[in-house]
Amino acid sequence: MQIKRVKFEIFGQVQGVGFRPFIYKLVTQLSLKGFVKNNQNGVELEVEGLDANISKFETLLHSELPPLARIDKLQKTEKKQKNYTTFEIIQSTNTLDATSKTALISPDIATCSECLNDIKNTKKYLNYFATNCTNCGPRYSIIKTVPYDRVNTSMKRFTMCNSCKDEYKNPLNRRYHAQPISCNSCGPTLNESIKKTADNIKSGKIVAIKGIGGFHIICDANNSEVIKKLREFKHRPSKPFAIMCKDEEQVKEIASMSEKESELLTSKEAPIVILKKNIKNSGKYSKYIAPNIDRIACFLPYTSLHHLLFEHLENPIVATSANLANEPIIIDANMIKEKLSFVEFILDFDREIINGVDDSLLQVVDAKVQMLRLSRGFGPKVIKLPFKSKKKILAVGANAKNAIAFVIDDNIILSPHIGDLGSLKAFEFFQATIETFKRFYDFEPDIIVYDKHPNYETTSWAKQQDKELKEVQHHLAHIYATKAEFALDGNYLGFSFDGTGYGDDGLLWGGEIFLGDKRKYTFKSIKLLGGEKAIKEPRRVALSMLFDRYTLDKVLSLNLELVKSFKKSEVKILHQSYSKNLNAPKSSSVGRMFDAIASFSNLLHFQTYEGEAGLICEQNYKPEITKVFEYKVIDGVIEIEFDVFDKEIVSIYINTLCKIVLDISKQEKKDVILSGGVFQNKTLLELIIKDLKKENIKYYYQQETSINDGGIALGQAYYQVMQ
């Protein structure tokens, strides 16, 4: 029987995920010899033994992967026999040219069931808040650089006890080379007891608790008084809070759940999932958690600390990111004391968070996942390219919901959510994240890609770098983000609907329809009276639309609540602004149109958070209303002829948008792409999908990456690499 020696080079998510012990177990079963080790690109191994056993090894390598591992590419080379006598797991090497670092960083993962069992039943881990193994626990949040070894993480300062060393060194143990391994004897410690923390929550206090990627601000989800206080302190009058529930059964008391939603909620990524409120059980939580909407955002405990906390709590808890508006999540207790003085109690531990990472947020649309915020559990996210890029590319994304993307070889690596760059702290976090990924991959970009908007901080930053620069229009980047996720090439019919983005003509776009890379259709522009102020006051957008249709005197005589919400003198001043184009920029935005619809229907005249008008319109859609508005298309400009200005306008407008998408799709006879923040409107997207399915029109929308501005960097990167 033939003896062979084969070298495997494996690329993908193969570090810090129990991959080497998995290899060790396979080769032991198959009597193969050789070695396995981490390197800067992934995992390298050699196996020597019977040809049939090597073939079987290769089959099992793909079919029995550990839960967190993913193989993107495998290179196999047959070598001259070496007569190995053992199989060893050997130390990582850093001998490769620094420019070739490509080992992928694993996201942070929720505590696995085996570790939860250890917390309850194994002496050394009994009630230990930082219990983890190779299948779970912190990754991205604690790593400084690759390869993923303890010395390169914030666990470096914690010396393993003999018991942990034994587990760490045993290839057959699930904690073999689990870099954050620790126990009650040797690991990080808490500054306060978990029971004391729970007592503070139950007594109506606002507390801060350190998680994997930052602090949460936490209070009792049943205590309306403390939630009202929290809203005042955070200047957050109505934006929904997420709530963490003890288990899935508690979630079911609060919300209705599909099979897919349940699967996501209990997944190893443990994201926040937006669910439909269970109105019958509304007494199970405060009405101030998610006021005025029929949705509620829920998630489950995802660290050992969370699970131990719920041993002392009966009620669900509000768990919101510890930050000020437009600032990144806080990762240090001293900053909690400095910035969030309303916090009455802090539960901290002494393992440093290297990379802050927020909770991921998603919903289910048409029985498929739709990513709204790609972060903990999912990020960093890798998109494979069908070829190697000749140049290293950095895409810096948008100003809102910022994320950044890096092109290295045949990978686009998308960072976790950074956030809105509306403050100095947020911009510093943006810069720090760039430096983090540069450090991970010894990365220096050949090209920097940015948005056309001249006032974006990302654009200004890009122009200050001494690099080759490329710009990509905002709405085209949305289309390319979808193309990247599905590895699409060629011409598609792309519907790019969002709030606002800078257009090729210098106007504010937001309702654009592309055929290939060229905009073919757009919506008739409306004037945003007062510029940025119109975004916070939907009534201004609605008033502008009335000025389009009627004289000033006629508008003043209309019996509409939105008109009555202004003083007569204010209407006259705004009419002057409209007539003379004074601080009244034009916009073709579908998102701004939704704002106007919310005001016309008397649902919302003042918006306290982004997307509030769209959410409220969505829940007021009535399927029994089938009417659509007439519309016309002249030279590619779509003009809707509104003839209803009461609550029915919500349903009629959504129906009309669906008809426009379907009509143009049938006319253009191309596969369809749907992207941009407006398609976070679940009702709208599901209605459009239903129509496209009926006509057998193929469609794509982002599922694993953010459909909003969090996907802009991905689109910028893919656009550039495909040129």
Side-chain angles (χ1 to χ4, degrees):
M1 300 184 79
Q2 193 176 7
I3 301 291
K4 277 188 176 180
R5 173 184 164 216
V6 179
K7 178 182 177 180
F8 292 89
E9 291 176 276
I10 301 173
F11 306 83
Q13 206 104 311
V14 289
Q15 290 193 16
V17 293
F19 193 79
R20 288 176 300 168
F22 158 68
I23 295 292
Y24 185 91
K25 288 175 189 174
L26 282 187
V27 299
T28 302
Q29 291 165 15
L30 295 166
S31 302
L32 298 172
K33 312 300 181 189
F35 70 85
V36 62
K37 67 179 179 180
N38 282 347
N39 61 31
Q40 291 168 312
N41 297 320
V43 165
E44 177 187 336
L45 66 110
E46 288 189 9
V47 290
E48 190 173 63
L50 292 174
D51 187 11
N53 287 357
I54 292 176
S55 295
K56 191 171 183 182
F57 166 78
E58 194 172 349
T59 300
L60 295 173
L61 183 63
H62 292 280
S63 65
E64 295 189 10
L65 275 176
L68 304 186
R70 188 188 73 246
I71 295 174
D72 292 330
K73 186 171 68 174
L74 182 148
Q75 292 177 348
K76 185 172 71 168
T77 312
E78 195 165 329
K79 311 275 279 189
K80 186 179 176 182
Q81 262 183 251
K82 201 168 184 177
N83 298 319
Y84 287 113
T85 57
T86 61
F87 189 89
E88 292 182 290
I89 299 176
I90 60 179
Q91 281 295 104
S92 304
T93 58
N94 294 298
T95 56
L96 293 178
D97 184 331
T99 59
S100 67
K101 268 191 183 182
T102 57
L104 303 178
I105 309 297
S106 172
D108 304 285
I109 296 297
T111 308
C112 69
S113 58
E114 289 175 291
C115 282
L116 291 178
N117 185 60
D118 285 343
I119 292 167
K120 291 178 181 176
N121 301 307
T122 306
K123 187 177 178 182
K124 69 176 283 193
Y125 295 112
L126 195 65
N127 295 327
Y128 183 53
F129 78 96
T131 303
N132 64 80
C133 70
T134 53
N135 297 326
C136 69
R139 298 290 190 278
Y140 170 75
S141 62
I142 62 169
I143 188 170
K144 294 175 181 176
T145 190
V146 296
Y148 177 64
D149 288 326
R150 195 177 180 99
V151 69
N152 293 328
T153 75
S154 57
M155 287 299 294
K156 179 183 177 181
R157 62 181 282 252
F158 299 98
T159 303
M160 281 182 268
C161 66
N162 289 334
S163 175
C164 282
K165 276 182 188 172
D166 288 344
E167 288 192 85
Y168 184 84
K169 290 178 179 178
N170 180 0
L172 300 179
N173 190 289
R174 79 173 198 281
R175 291 192 173 92
Y176 176 79
H177 278 218
Q179 304 308 333
I181 186 177
S182 61
C183 70
N184 278 307
S185 301
C186 63
T189 56
L190 293 167
N191 68 320
E192 296 279 4
S193 80
I194 293 173
K195 184 179 183 306
K196 188 176 176 183
T197 307
D199 289 342
N200 272 278
I201 294 168
K202 287 189 281 190
S203 68
K205 295 232 170 54
I206 296 172
V207 309
I209 298 180
K210 192 174 188 177
I212 278 186
F215 279 85
H216 281 123
I217 301 301
I218 284 173
C219 66
D220 187 340
N222 251 1
N223 189 327
S224 291
E225 291 308 308
V226 72
I227 294 169
K228 284 194 282 185
K229 272 170 56 182
L230 180 57
R231 288 201 173 280
E232 287 170 21
F233 290 138
K234 288 203 80 176
H235 307 292
R236 186 171 170 164
S238 56
K239 187 176 181 180
F241 285 129
I243 59 173
M244 183 182 284
C245 295
K246 184 172 188 171
D247 50 33
E248 193 178 7
E249 290 310 306
Q250 193 171 68
V251 176
K252 287 175 181 174
E253 292 178 356
I254 289 167
S256 57
M257 252 191 308
S258 68
E259 188 177 329
K260 184 66 175 177
E261 287 164 338
S262 172
E263 176 192 317
L264 291 166
L265 195 73
T266 57
S267 68
K268 66 184 187 296
E269 293 84 7
I272 299 173
V273 183
I274 298 175
L275 304 169
K276 189 101 171 180
K277 284 179 183 174
N278 186 341
I279 304 301
K280 290 178 184 175
N281 290 342
S282 57
K284 298 280 183 182
Y285 56 90
S286 168
K287 65 180 181 181
Y288 296 103
I289 286 172
N292 308 320
I293 59 171
D294 61 355
R295 309 288 162 85
I296 190 161
C298 298
F299 62 138
L300 295 177
Y302 59 82
T303 68
S304 304
L305 175 54
H306 294 147
H307 285 279
L308 291 167
L309 178 68
F310 271 105
E311 288 188 5
H312 306 282
L313 295 173
E314 291 300 320
N315 292 340
I317 53 177
V318 169
T320 186
S321 300
N323 62 347
L324 294 175
N326 295 324
E327 290 197 1
I329 190 168
I330 292 173
I331 61 175
D332 178 72
N334 290 325
M335 294 303 290
I336 296 281
K337 294 169 188 173
E338 181 184 322
K339 290 183 171 284
L340 305 178
S341 57
F342 59 83
V343 170
E344 299 165 277
F345 183 88
I346 300 174
L347 182 61
D348 190 16
F349 52 83
D350 54 354
R351 184 183 70 214
E352 183 187 1
I353 295 171
I354 304 296
N355 305 304
V357 59
D358 220 322
D359 295 314
S360 291
L361 176 69
L362 49 81
Q363 65 180 355
V364 172
V365 176
D366 191 41
K368 297 184 183 72
V369 65
Q370 184 189 52
M371 187 67 67
L372 304 179
R373 182 169 68 218
L374 187 150
S375 208
R376 175 189 52 76
F378 296 95
K381 171 75 177 175
V382 179
I383 302 288
K384 297 302 292 184
L385 293 168
F387 53 83
K388 280 193 175 185
S389 172
K390 293 176 183 175
K391 294 194 173 182
K392 292 183 177 181
I393 300 167
L394 165 62
V396 293
N399 250 37
K401 298 179 173 63
N402 181 265
I404 52 179
F406 300 80
V407 179
I408 307 170
D409 293 340
D410 57 351
N411 299 308
I412 301 179
I413 301 169
L414 186 61
S415 79
H417 169 82
I418 293 171
D420 296 347
L421 304 183
S423 69
L424 180 60
K425 279 287 178 192
F427 189 68
E428 287 172 352
F429 186 41
F430 161 79
Q431 292 176 299
T433 306
I434 291 175
E435 292 306 313
T436 294
F437 279 84
K438 281 185 173 184
R439 190 170 64 246
F440 285 166
Y441 299 108
D442 289 334
F443 177 91
E444 195 56 47
D446 301 309
I447 299 171
I448 297 176
V449 193
Y450 62 93
D451 192 277
K452 281 191 171 185
H453 201 302
N455 297 328
Y456 273 7
E457 276 81 3
T458 51
T459 300
S460 300
W461 181 87
K463 289 181 176 179
Q464 290 167 22
Q465 312 307 307
D466 187 21
K467 301 289 180 185
E468 183 182 350
L469 299 176
K470 299 288 182 182
E471 61 179 17
V472 180
Q473 198 280 323
H474 187 92
H475 299 92
L476 186 59
H478 273 309
I479 301 302
Y480 267 83
T482 311
K483 292 177 84 169
E485 183 174 320
F486 292 95
L488 305 177
D489 192 13
N491 289 337
Y492 290 78
L493 181 65
F495 294 85
S496 188
F497 296 171
D498 67 359
T500 48
Y502 194 80
D504 289 335
D505 54 7
L507 298 180
L508 297 174
W509 290 6
E512 317 314 315
I513 304 168
F514 291 86
L515 191 56
D517 290 358
K518 300 293 182 186
R519 182 178 73 156
K520 186 166 182 182
Y521 303 92
T522 186
F523 282 81
K524 182 188 174 186
S525 291
I526 48 180
K527 294 179 183 179
L528 305 182
L529 303 178
E532 290 285 326
K533 207 167 183 181
I535 296 171
K536 293 184 177 177
E537 296 184 27
R539 62 184 189 151
R540 287 173 175 257
V541 188
L543 187 66
S544 175
M545 289 173 64
L546 291 177
F547 289 154
D548 277 345
R549 186 181 178 96
Y550 303 118
T551 65
L552 173 59
D553 287 342
K554 177 66 174 172
V555 169
L556 286 167
S557 70
L558 292 172
N559 185 29
L560 292 174
E561 288 302 319
L562 81 92
V563 177
K564 293 176 187 176
S565 73
F566 294 99
K567 294 176 185 173
K568 191 174 181 179
S569 58
E570 288 177 316
V571 175
K572 288 180 176 179
I573 290 167
L574 288 170
H575 189 263
Q576 275 195 326
S577 170
Y578 170 88
S579 303
K580 297 179 179 179
N581 294 318
L582 300 172
N583 195 20
K586 288 183 175 181
S587 175
S588 55
S589 165
V590 173
R592 298 288 76 83
M593 190 76 76
F594 264 111
D595 294 349
I597 299 303
S599 183
F600 279 129
S601 58
N602 200 30
L603 292 169
L604 186 78
H605 301 300
F606 296 88
Q607 197 158 224
T608 63
Y609 60 91
E610 187 206 357
E612 184 176 11
L615 262 176
I616 287 175
C617 284
E618 184 180 352
Q619 78 168 52
N620 280 276
Y621 177 79
K622 307 295 182 197
E624 63 271 18
I625 297 173
T626 57
K627 178 180 173 177
V628 296
F629 291 122
E630 294 293 319
Y631 75 92
K632 57 188 177 185
V633 183
I634 301 173
D635 296 329
V637 177
I638 303 163
E639 183 178 353
I640 298 172
E641 297 175 1
F642 293 95
D643 59 9
V644 172
F645 297 103
D646 56 25
K647 277 198 174 177
E648 286 195 355
I649 194 173
V650 170
S651 303
I652 301 171
Y653 178 61
I654 289 174
N655 292 342
T656 306
L657 279 181
C658 293
K659 183 169 176 17
I660 289 168
V661 170
L662 184 63
D663 288 351
I664 292 175
S665 299
K666 286 164 71 175
Q667 182 179 315
E668 295 295 343
K669 296 180 172 60
K670 291 278 185 189
D671 291 351
V672 166
I673 288 172
L674 306 163
S675 189
V678 164
F679 291 110
Q680 293 174 128
N681 185 317
K682 181 174 175 174
T683 301
L684 174 68
L685 184 53
E686 288 189 333
L687 287 168
I688 288 173
I689 287 170
K690 187 179 174 185
D691 287 345
L692 294 174
K693 279 180 177 175
K694 263 187 206 170
E695 296 294 331
N696 292 316
I697 297 170
K698 196 168 186 180
Y699 61 89
Y700 301 89
Y701 66 90
Q702 284 155 269
Q703 295 166 29
E704 295 183 0
T705 59
S706 299
I707 199 166
N708 51 43
D709 279 8
I712 289 291
L714 174 61
Q716 291 170 341
Y718 194 65
Y719 177 87
Q720 184 57 41
V721 87
M722 297 301 285
Q723 298 310 298

